[in-house]
Amino acid sequence: MAYAGTRLILYLAFEAGNPNNYVPVSASPSMACAAVRARVSVLTGILFGVAPAWTTSHADPVEALRGANRSVSGRGSWAQKSLVIGQTAMSIVLLSAAALLGKSLRNLEHQNFGFATEGRYLVSIKPLAR
């Protein structure tokens, strides 16, 4: 999906206007990155699949079917509590990082670099790739 989106963006940005445009960006996926993503996905699936199964395996089936262990009280296993705490901490860190990145980009957009831009023209030359 990411590869197709990248190809679409490059097509719209460079190739849609003129067929002689040269695109200096390669959108081919890296196999090393794909392998790392696959490993992380498998480990995440195993971790978040085994943890609930582990806590469920220690419950009495009859009591679990009756719903006796379902309560609103704070009696949870250490695995449940640690997963919830870890997920909350990770969410807070990622939200904070996203907010800081957004603020930095907004500051860069309004940054004055000391160039006088009034009365200036922007010219670009795109030589043909042969």
Side-chain angles (χ1 to χ4, degrees), residues 23-64:
V23 180
V25 179
S26 174
S28 61
S30 169
M31 287 302 143
C33 289
V36 170
R37 287 190 307 260
R39 287 183 194 139
V40 169
S41 298
V42 167
L43 288 175
T44 303
I46 289 172
L47 174 69
F48 288 102
V50 169
W54 179 265
T55 58
T56 307
S57 68
H58 295 295
D60 185 23
V62 174
E63 295 298 323

Side-chain angles (χ1 to χ4, degrees), residues 12 20-21 38 64 98 105:
L12 292 175
N20 294 326
N21 284 345
L105 290 176

Side-chain angles (χ1 to χ4, degrees), residues 35-120:
V36 170
R37 287 190 307 260
R39 287 183 194 139
V40 169
S41 298
V42 167
L43 288 175
T44 303
I46 289 172
L47 174 69
F48 288 102
V50 169
W54 179 265
T55 58
T56 307
S57 68
H58 295 295
D60 185 23
V62 174
E63 295 298 323
L65 288 173
R66 285 186 194 156
N69 291 334
R70 294 183 191 171
S71 65
V72 188
S73 68
R75 299 180 309 156
S77 69
W78 64 271
Q80 289 174 335
K81 289 180 182 178
S82 62
L83 285 175
V84 169
I85 290 170
Q87 183 178 3
T88 305
M90 194 180 320
S91 298
I92 290 172
V93 167
L94 290 174
L95 284 173
S96 301
L100 289 173
L101 178 65
K103 187 171 176 86
S104 296
L105 290 176
R106 189 173 31 251
N107 288 342
L108 281 176
E109 184 179 12
H110 300 294
Q111 179 72 30
N112 183 8
F113 292 105
F115 296 110
T117 57
E118 294 82 23
R120 304 288 192 259

